[in-house]
Amino acid sequence: KIGFFLCPTRLVPLDRYAVLGLNNLRRVGGAPRLKGHSYREYLEAFNEQYVRMERQLAAALKESWVIALANKLGCPASALSTIAMRRKLFDDYLMHSGDYLR
């Protein structure tokens, strides 16, 4: 997870919830499940799926309620258009898809 903070455009956090979420997403797309917990394998699969969803992620971050909430929390609007923010949003999506907090 430290790698994400140091280089968010190249590295992403890896945890069991995100792996479950990524496998769920890959299953819908017809791709095989990730069998091991190799970071390299996970990162490649993450990047592949991220590219497919990048437009949707960018559009979600442009929603008026997201901009208003970011402003309320003191997050500059410019942060919402960064690659790092889109990758973190995708990571959060995967974690919640993998039953995080259930």
Side-chain angles (χ1 to χ4, degrees):
K1 294 187 181 199
I2 292 172
F4 178 75
F5 291 104
L6 297 175
C7 194
T9 60
R10 292 187 43 224
L11 301 174
V12 294
L14 169 62
D15 60 45
R16 66 186 174 121
Y17 300 108
V19 170
L20 287 171
L22 187 56
N23 277 333
N24 290 339
L25 187 59
R26 287 168 57 92
R27 183 175 54 233
V28 170
R33 289 177 42 96
L34 296 174
K35 294 180 182 171
H37 287 93
S38 157
Y39 185 77
R40 174 176 280 168
E41 179 185 22
Y42 176 76
L43 183 59
E44 288 173 7
F46 179 101
N47 287 335
E48 179 182 302
Q49 294 299 318
Y50 169 80
V51 167
R52 290 183 179 155
M53 295 187 70
E54 190 171 17
R55 281 189 190 162
Q56 290 173 277
L57 297 164
L61 290 168
K62 290 179 183 175
E63 293 281 338
S64 60
W65 71 269
V66 174
I67 295 168
L69 179 59
N71 186 46
K72 185 175 183 178
L73 296 173
C75 176
S78 60
L80 297 176
S81 62
T82 65
I83 293 170
M85 185 65 79
R86 289 191 302 272
R87 288 172 69 84
K88 182 57 183 149
L89 177 60
F90 186 54
D91 173 59
D92 289 349
Y93 169 77
L94 293 177
M95 288 190 328
H96 287 282
S97 297
D99 291 332
Y100 179 72
L101 296 179
R102 285 189 194 184

